[in-house]
């Protein structure tokens, strides 16, 4: 019966670098319903957090990636990985249940691997954002902000390479939301405005989300204004 199932199950993965086959855990789809989700898509779960199990770490060589990472490595990428990471790898297995600190380690390994082999900027930005979320779960606001800023820089690079398109509404919205979260209010307004006003964008959900977060942003800006001394308010 479904109710007796454990949240985790194992899948077999073949390492992209050394071709070693290993087992890694995933959360069953029936356990993936979030109890709430933040405006930047950070989700919270009652039981096992699926985000803890996104990264697949080869126990043999240490190559770490997600299912969205590069689908194969060139000989050059393998050589760079071996020289920079594999030579220092101490064999260990991340295949079982993961606690917060283990999940953080896997994401930082995946980030290091992605940067080393020159994976896409979108993958790097996503890994940075997930690391920020992990710190948010822990309540470490300083480290969360640090990695949100790194992620924001990467997502802006993705935008600069890909430009505006019908499929990039989520990217534009996310850049706006990350700007809001790190306190870049003027920049956040500009990015939300692009989603709302660009006629090429027809993603109704992202247009609605941009309007909602623009409203949140206005309230935050007004609150900041109220905190200023009277003489500084006059200058504005």
């Amino acid at each position: 019966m479904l109710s007796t199932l454990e949240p985790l199950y194992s899948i077999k993965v073949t390492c992209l670098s050394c071709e070693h086959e290993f087992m890694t855990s995933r959360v069953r789809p029936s356990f993936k319903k979030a109890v709430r989700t933040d405006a930047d898509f950070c989700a919270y779960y009652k039981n096992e957090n699926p985000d803890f199990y996104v990264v697949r770490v080869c126990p043999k060589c240490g190559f770490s990636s997600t299912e969205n990472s590069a689908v194969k490595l060139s000989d050059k990428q393998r050589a760079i990985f071996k020289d920079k990471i594999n030579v220092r790898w101490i064999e260990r297995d991340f295949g079982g249940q993961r606690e917060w600190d283990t999940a953080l380690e896997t994401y930082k390994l995946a980030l290091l691997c992605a940067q080393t082999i020159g994976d896409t900027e979108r993958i790097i930005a996503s890994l940075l954002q997930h690391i920020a979320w992990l710190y948010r779960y822990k309540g470490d606001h300083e480290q969360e902000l640090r990695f949100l800023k790194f992620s924001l820089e990467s997502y802006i690079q993705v935008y600069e390479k890909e430009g505006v398109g019908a499929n990039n509404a989520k990217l534009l919205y996310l850049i706006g939301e990350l700007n809001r979260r790190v306190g870049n209010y003027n920049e956040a307004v500009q990015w939300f405005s692009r989603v709302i006003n660009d006629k090429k964008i027809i993603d109704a959900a992202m247009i609605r989300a941009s309007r909602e977060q623009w409203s949140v942003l206005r309230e935050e800006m007004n609150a900041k204004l109220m905190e200023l001394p009277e003489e500084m308010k006059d200058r504005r």
Side-chain angles (χ1 to χ4, degrees):
M1 291 177 63
L2 187 63
S3 59
T4 64
L5 288 176
E6 291 294 321
L8 299 181
Y9 68 101
S10 296
I11 61 169
K12 185 182 286 187
V13 178
T14 301
C15 177
L16 293 176
S17 181
C18 71
E19 299 183 350
H20 173 69
E21 287 189 346
F22 62 96
M23 304 300 289
T24 191
S25 295
R26 300 288 299 272
V27 174
R28 294 184 189 281
S30 56
F31 287 87
K32 283 187 176 181
K33 189 175 181 180
V35 294
R36 67 184 175 92
T37 306
D38 290 338
D40 64 346
F41 312 116
C42 175
Y44 300 81
Y45 299 88
K46 187 177 179 181
N47 299 304
E48 288 285 351
N49 188 332
D51 278 358
F52 282 21
Y53 300 91
V54 167
V55 178
R56 307 159 170 191
V57 183
C58 175
K60 193 80 174 172
C61 74
F63 186 78
S64 308
S65 62
T66 75
E67 61 184 22
N68 295 319
S69 301
V71 292
K72 62 180 181 178
L73 301 184
S74 66
D75 290 341
K76 183 180 179 181
Q77 286 174 316
R78 283 196 179 92
I80 291 170
F81 165 74
K82 188 172 182 179
D83 181 56
K84 300 289 185 184
I85 299 174
N86 177 234
V87 291
R88 291 188 285 275
W89 177 250
I90 298 168
E91 288 191 25
R92 53 198 187 279
D93 194 346
F94 290 89
Q97 188 175 27
R98 294 177 184 174
E99 301 299 329
W100 179 88
D101 53 346
T102 313
L104 180 66
E105 187 176 359
T106 65
Y107 273 106
K108 289 190 173 180
L109 282 167
L111 176 63
L112 183 61
C113 288
Q115 291 171 328
T116 299
I117 67 166
D119 209 338
T120 68
E121 198 64 45
R122 196 179 274 270
I123 290 294
I124 290 169
S126 177
L127 291 169
L128 288 164
Q129 187 181 15
H130 277 81
I131 293 170
W133 291 349
L134 283 170
Y135 282 117
R136 187 180 304 169
Y137 295 141
K138 201 74 168 175
D140 190 335
H141 186 61
E142 184 179 345
Q143 286 296 329
E144 178 198 341
L145 271 182
R146 179 170 170 248
F147 279 92
L148 283 179
K149 288 175 181 175
F150 291 149
S151 178
L152 174 58
E153 290 170 7
S154 277
Y155 277 126
I156 289 173
Q157 287 186 47
V158 173
Y159 167 76
E160 288 173 348
K161 289 176 183 175
E162 297 182 5
V164 181
N167 297 325
N168 261 346
K170 186 175 181 180
L171 173 63
L172 301 185
Y173 162 78
L174 187 54
I175 293 173
E177 176 60 16
L178 294 183
N179 269 302
R180 184 189 71 80
R181 286 179 175 268
V182 302
N184 299 338
Y185 292 154
N186 292 333
E187 289 87 346
V189 167
Q190 292 170 15
W191 289 96
F192 288 142
S193 178
R194 291 184 193 194
V195 180
I196 295 165
N197 297 320
D198 193 315
K199 301 303 180 188
K200 292 195 293 291
I201 292 175
I202 55 174
D203 188 329
M206 288 300 99
I207 293 170
R208 184 171 61 251
S210 294
R211 290 188 194 280
E212 289 170 356
Q213 291 313 102
W214 197 343
S215 178
V216 171
L217 183 57
R218 276 198 299 268
E219 291 176 12
E220 289 178 348
M221 292 172 78
N222 287 334
K224 290 284 185 186
L225 184 59
M226 294 299 290
E227 293 172 5
L228 292 174
E230 288 299 324
E231 62 273 14
M232 291 190 70
K233 291 180 190 176
D234 292 340
R235 284 182 212 155
R236 297 170 66 92

